[in-house]
DNA sequence: TAAGTAATAT
DNA sequence: AATATTACTT
């Protein structure tokens, strides 16, 4: 076949009309029985291998099952069970099939939509045989461009065989063959990796172990031990993570803030120590809770000298957590996209209560007493994080924060299920001897019994050089700890 | 060969 | 919006 004389070409053109695309495997979808039947007959008339389905859902099921292979899908636009656009979208996302849309009348808008959503052709009812005779072109042209893609791809990575990708991955050399003869099309595209919280956590833990500046994709991958991940997947994520770090590092806004860390899907609270011009982070939120307490509730430890110091994350001066179950105010800041609700608050001096934050959009919560719920929203450097600055007055013990509106009185414990109260009643414990070498240790709070964690950096262990230089100095947040101002003495905590 | 990066594509 | 790819560079 490959060697076809030039003079034959003319002949072939003539013949092609009714000869070549025989056996093209077409899946026809229409919930109108009659139309479907007509379509089927026409397709059969073209000698296509035709399968009919009367709704989009089953169509999708069949395609997903992959038991039968198809070259092309023809679907009616309007259907009961599923918008054909949905179907189109799913097919585009999951498989690699040309889709032809079908409608009656000339609904231009629908047509445009279909085309814009990636339909490769749009036919009007009634369909004529000669239109169907040409549809194989879509299949063919797609194959060609795919072949080109294959050739130009540097398949260097260890693309381990993934679900259903058999044909595609292994046969870089096979393109010619598959193009011309077998048509052994694989319907499944390699799925995108979804970075679930579990994956992110593993990723962070790996980095945590290796150290950010020694962490390379390969090592991370090994530690993560997730079979379907490739080095490239990790590389991409690492890239994103580093970009994220860049953006996260500065908070010009206030003494402290809470914000949604969209990278990790957790809340973080930040505080600033004016004396030293440094920032600390803690992370938390109900979104993630792993065995080593990554993402435990938000808390930073208390400052040693309360005078003029900043701290947040712990309760309230008198040891009494007030009931914050106060009137609902819709005025809290609601932030973009996710479930961000942020209550920025000022804390007056000697407060008995502080503020809280509600991470669940479904459970609107009251602004706490000392909150002014001026919905300050400040966009941070393009990322989806927004911050709510709040000022912490001097002479206060610490700041309390609750999530989800519940806390466990007297226990001081964080119950992940329902309570995200922070450090009830007691103060800090130490996260001892963490070199502030990496970002991660700082965000990695340990829940030590009843107390909250605190960033404790032993004197002399701060290594600000290496990391900042690597991240172009943008990583100050991570390389700088809360220093000796924050004790982390175990003595302070009681168990 | 692995890794970092920025721009761009899907 | 989140990942992937690409095209360079180190």
């Amino acid at each position: 076949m490959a060697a076809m004389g030039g003079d034959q070409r003319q002949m072939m053109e003539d013949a092609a009309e009714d000869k070549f695309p025989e056996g093209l495997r077409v899946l026809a979808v229409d919930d109108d029985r009659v139309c479907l039947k007509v379509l089927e007959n026409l397709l059969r008339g073209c000698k296509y291998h035709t399968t009919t389905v009367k709704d989009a859902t089953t169509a999708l099921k069949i395609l997903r099952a992959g038991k039968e292979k198809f070259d092309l899908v023809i679907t009616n636009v309007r259907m009961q069970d599923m918008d054909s656009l949905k179907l189109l979208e799913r097919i585009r996302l999951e498989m690699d099939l040309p889709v032809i849309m079908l409608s009656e009348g000339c609904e231009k808008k629908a047509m445009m939509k279909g085309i814009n959503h990636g339909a490769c052709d749009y036919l009007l009812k009634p369909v004529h045989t000669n239109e169907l005779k040409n549809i194989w072109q879509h299949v063919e042209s797609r194959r060609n461009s795919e072949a080109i893609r294959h050739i130009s791809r540097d398949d260097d990575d260890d693309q381990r065989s993934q679900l259903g990708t058999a044909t595609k991955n292994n046969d870089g050399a096979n393109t010619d063959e598959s193009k011309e003869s077998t048509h052994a099309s694989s319907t499944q595209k390699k799925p995108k990796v979804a970075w679930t919280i579990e994956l992110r956590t593993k990723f962070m833990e790996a980095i945590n172990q290796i150290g950010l500046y020694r962490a390379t994709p390969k090592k991370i991958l090994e530690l993560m031990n997730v079979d379907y991940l490739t080095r490239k997947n990790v590389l991409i994520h690492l890239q994103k993570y580093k970009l994220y770090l860049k953006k996260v590092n500065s908070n010009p806004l206030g003494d402290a803030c809470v914000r949604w860390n969209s990278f990790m899907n957790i809340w973080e609270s930040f505080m600033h120590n004016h004396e030293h011009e440094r920032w600390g982070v803690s992370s938390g939120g109900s979104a993630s809770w792993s065995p080593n307490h990554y993402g435990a509730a938000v808390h930073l430890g208390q400052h040693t000298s309360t005078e003029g110091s900043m701290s947040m994350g712990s309760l309230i001066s008198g040891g009494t957590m007030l009931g914050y179950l106060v009137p609902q105010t819709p005025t809290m800041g609601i932030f973009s996209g996710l479930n961000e609700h942020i209550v920025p608050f000022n804390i007056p001096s000697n407060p008995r209560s502080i503020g809280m934050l509600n991470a669940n959009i479904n459970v609107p919560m009251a602004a706490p007493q000392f909150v002014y719920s001026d919905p300050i929203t400040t966009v941070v450097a393009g990322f989806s994080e927004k911050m709510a600055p709040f000022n912490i007055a001097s002479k206060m013990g610490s700041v309390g924060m609750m999530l989800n509106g519940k806390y466990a009185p007297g226990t001081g414990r964080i119950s992940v299920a329902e309570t995200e109260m922070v450090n009830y009643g007691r103060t800090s414990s130490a996260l001892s001897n963490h070199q502030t070498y990496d970002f991660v240790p700082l965000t990695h709070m340990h829940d030590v019994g009843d107390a909250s964690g605190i960033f404790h950096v032993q004197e002399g262990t701060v290594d600000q050089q290496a990391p900042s230089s690597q991240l172009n100095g943008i990583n100050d947040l991570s390389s700088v700890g809360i220093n000796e101002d924050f004790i982390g003495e175990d003595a302070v905590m009681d168990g």
Side-chain angles (χ1 to χ4, degrees):
Chain A
M1 272 189 277
M4 189 169 301
D7 48 337
Q8 272 187 291
R9 197 153 284 163
Q10 189 58 45
M11 283 174 59
M12 200 190 88
E13 265 172 28
D14 299 336
E17 282 180 319
D18 48 10
K19 219 180 159 190
F20 166 40
E22 269 181 32
L24 195 78
R25 295 159 299 184
V26 180
L27 181 65
V29 194
D30 196 329
D31 60 354
D32 184 320
R33 282 165 174 267
V34 182
C35 289
L36 190 60
K37 194 70 199 165
V38 172
L39 183 59
E40 183 184 5
N41 288 337
L42 288 174
L43 288 167
R44 291 250 155 88
C46 297
K47 300 199 176 161
Y48 298 150
H49 184 285
T50 310
T51 310
T52 58
V53 189
K54 62 178 188 344
D55 62 281
T57 318
T58 29
L60 203 51
K61 264 184 203 157
I62 292 174
L63 287 169
R64 278 180 176 152
K67 229 178 161 187
E68 261 184 282
K69 302 281 182 186
F70 293 96
D71 299 306
L72 185 144
V73 178
I74 300 184
T75 172
N76 189 24
V77 192
R78 300 196 176 284
M79 278 178 299
Q80 302 283 317
D81 64 322
M82 189 194 302
D83 198 330
S84 63
L85 287 180
K86 269 266 159 57
L87 177 62
L88 178 59
E89 189 187 303
R90 296 321 306 175
I91 292 177
R92 292 252 304 166
L93 227 51
E94 297 169 33
M95 304 142 215
D96 213 3
L97 284 177
V99 177
I100 293 175
M101 307 283 265
L102 208 59
S103 80
E104 33 217 317
C106 44
E107 308 170 53
K108 269 195 184 163
K109 268 192 188 165
M111 286 173 66
M112 294 291 265
K113 243 186 180 172
I115 297 292
N116 286 333
H117 282 239
C120 66
D121 204 350
Y122 208 104
L123 300 180
L124 292 180
K125 290 180 185 176
V127 183
H128 299 291
T129 310
N130 51 345
E131 288 169 321
L132 294 176
K133 272 183 187 168
N134 291 323
I135 59 175
W136 61 268
Q137 293 173 356
H138 298 297
V139 181
E140 192 60 17
S141 78
R142 194 165 284 236
R143 282 217 179 92
N144 283 330
S145 55
E146 185 169 293
I148 289 161
R149 243 180 284 137
H150 264 278
I151 291 162
S152 60
R153 183 166 62 159
D154 70 321
D155 224 325
D156 70 320
D157 218 8
D158 39 334
Q159 317 256 10
R160 263 150 289 189
S161 58
Q162 258 181 286
L163 25 150
T165 54
T167 9
K168 245 203 198 153
N169 279 336
N170 315 332
D171 66 354
N174 191 16
T175 46
D176 278 6
E177 192 191 354
S178 66
K179 186 177 73 177
E180 297 203 17
S181 57
T182 27
H183 285 222
S185 83
S186 59
T187 30
Q188 300 284 307
K189 246 188 219 175
K190 182 174 180 169
K192 275 190 182 181
V193 171
W195 284 85
T196 57
I197 291 175
E198 287 72 32
L199 279 188
R200 287 165 204 251
T201 306
K202 279 193 174 180
F203 174 86
M204 295 305 281
E205 284 169 353
I207 285 191
N208 196 13
Q209 273 185 51
I210 306 166
L212 179 57
Y213 304 100
R214 271 172 288 279
T216 60
K218 207 174 178 180
K219 288 186 213 160
I220 298 171
L221 184 62
E222 276 168 25
L223 277 178
M224 287 181 70
N225 191 27
V226 178
D227 58 354
Y228 60 85
L229 277 187
T230 71
R231 192 173 54 77
K232 270 187 180 166
N233 291 138
V234 177
L235 176 70
I236 291 161
H237 202 61
L238 188 59
Q239 178 175 30
K240 185 185 163 197
Y241 179 55
K242 286 185 176 173
L243 286 174
Y244 167 77
L245 287 185
K246 284 186 191 177
K247 286 170 179 164
V248 143
N249 93 27
S250 73
N251 181 354
L253 302 176
D255 298 319
C257 74
V258 285
R259 77 170 173 205
W260 178 253
N261 175 338
S262 61
F263 185 85
M264 275 304 291
N265 271 355
I266 53 177
W267 287 99
E268 290 177 333
S269 57
F270 284 71
M271 56 162 281
H272 189 245
N273 177 324
H274 284 304
E275 282 176 70
H276 294 82
E277 292 298 310
R278 285 173 175 171
W279 284 95
V281 204
S282 95
S283 64
S286 54
S288 75
W289 178 262
S290 79
N292 66 1
H293 297 185
Y294 187 87
V298 182
H299 38 239
L300 284 177
Q302 191 177 11
H303 203 292
T304 356
S305 69
T306 42
E307 195 70 28
S309 67
M310 243 51 77
S311 62
M312 66 170 286
S314 300
L315 98 145
I316 30 179
S317 35
T320 332
M321 178 63 97
L322 297 186
Y324 285 138
L325 316 167
V326 281
Q328 313 250 315
T329 50
T331 43
M332 47 177 33
I334 297 175
F335 297 127
S336 68
L338 304 152
N339 280 341
E340 293 100 330
H341 276 206
I342 287 182
V343 182
F345 45 93
N346 273 338
I347 296 157
S349 37
N350 282 326
R352 296 205 54 216
S353 61
I354 318 296
M356 63 185 169
L357 136 93
N358 175 14
N360 184 348
I361 202 165
N362 297 314
V363 188
M365 190 186 283
Q369 269 114 329
F370 295 104
V371 168
Y372 68 90
S373 38
D374 185 1
I376 302 165
T377 74
T378 312
V379 186
V380 177
F383 231 71
S384 67
E385 290 89 354
K386 311 206 176 176
M387 292 184 173
F390 55 89
N391 303 313
I392 302 173
S394 58
K395 290 193 177 165
M396 58 154 299
S398 50
V399 179
M401 182 186 293
M402 270 197 314
L403 305 179
N404 298 331
K406 294 174 189 164
Y407 73 102
T411 66
R413 282 200 177 268
I414 296 153
S415 145
V416 184
E418 51 180 76
T419 307
E420 297 293 339
M421 198 193 90
V422 174
N423 190 22
Y424 173 83
R426 302 161 201 179
T427 323
S428 36
S429 69
L431 183 58
S432 60
N433 198 19
H434 261 298
Q435 306 217 344
T436 48
Y437 196 74
D438 296 318
F439 180 82
V440 176
L442 288 180
T443 63
H444 191 143
M445 299 303 292
H446 289 218
D447 178 9
V448 214
D450 289 337
S452 73
I454 123 166
F455 299 148
H456 174 60
V457 179
Q458 285 190 345
E459 272 186 85
T461 58
V462 180
D463 180 350
Q464 300 179 32
Q465 303 306 327
S468 353
S469 61
Q470 275 222 23
L471 273 186
N472 299 325
I474 37 78
N475 197 26
D476 290 335
L477 178 66
S478 55
S479 60
V480 175
I482 316 301
N483 225 332
E484 63 281 354
D485 309 285
F486 290 86
I487 51 155
E489 260 142 48
D490 293 14
V492 188
M493 65 177 266
D494 43 24

